Amino acid sequence: MKPILSTFVLLALVLLSSSLLHTTMAADSSFCDSKCAVRCSKAGRQDRCLKYCGICCRACNCVPSGTYGNKDECPCYRDKKNSKGGPKCP
């Protein structure tokens, strides 16, 4: 009886944790999407801006306010560099 009970409890925990993880990921995605939409609203190449802003947002969990500058609000976002040493985040 104990193996059945422990299996049931383990299965319940796995289902609960995967449900919570999916909800958290969806919330983070909409947070980044909305913040990056504002950040990239005046960009000349919006598709590229949204791509890199999204990458930086998911890594740093923040996006500076406004459409340009203000990167001191988010040091992680500010300090990310591309392969050439330039700023990665728009």
Side-chain angles (χ1 to χ4, degrees), residues 38-56:
V38 171
R39 183 81 178 166
C40 297
S41 63
K42 294 183 178 179
R45 295 188 146 191
Q46 281 197 350
D47 55 338
R48 185 178 288 176
C49 182
L50 290 169
K51 175 184 174 182
Y52 288 108
C53 181
I55 290 169
C56 294

Side-chain angles (χ1 to χ4, degrees), residues 3-90:
I4 294 173
L5 181 61
S6 61
T7 303
F8 177 74
V9 169
L10 183 62
L11 182 61
L13 287 173
V14 168
L15 289 173
L16 179 64
S17 66
S18 67
S19 173
L20 290 174
L21 180 63
H22 180 69
T23 303
T24 304
M25 287 172 57
D28 289 344
S29 178
S30 74
F31 168 79
C32 289
D33 290 348
S34 64
K35 293 289 187 177
C36 288
V38 171
R39 183 81 178 166
C40 297
S41 63
K42 294 183 178 179
R45 295 188 146 191
Q46 281 197 350
D47 55 338
R48 185 178 288 176
C49 182
L50 290 169
K51 175 184 174 182
Y52 288 108
C53 181
I55 290 169
C56 294
C57 177
R58 285 187 291 280
C60 298
N61 295 320
C62 64
V63 175
S65 61
T67 57
Y68 184 79
N70 303 324
K71 288 188 177 182
D72 288 334
E73 295 175 2
C74 185
C76 171
Y77 191 96
R78 176 193 65 210
D79 296 338
K80 285 210 166 293
K81 302 292 181 196
N82 63 21
S83 61
K84 296 178 182 176
K88 181 178 188 105
C89 308

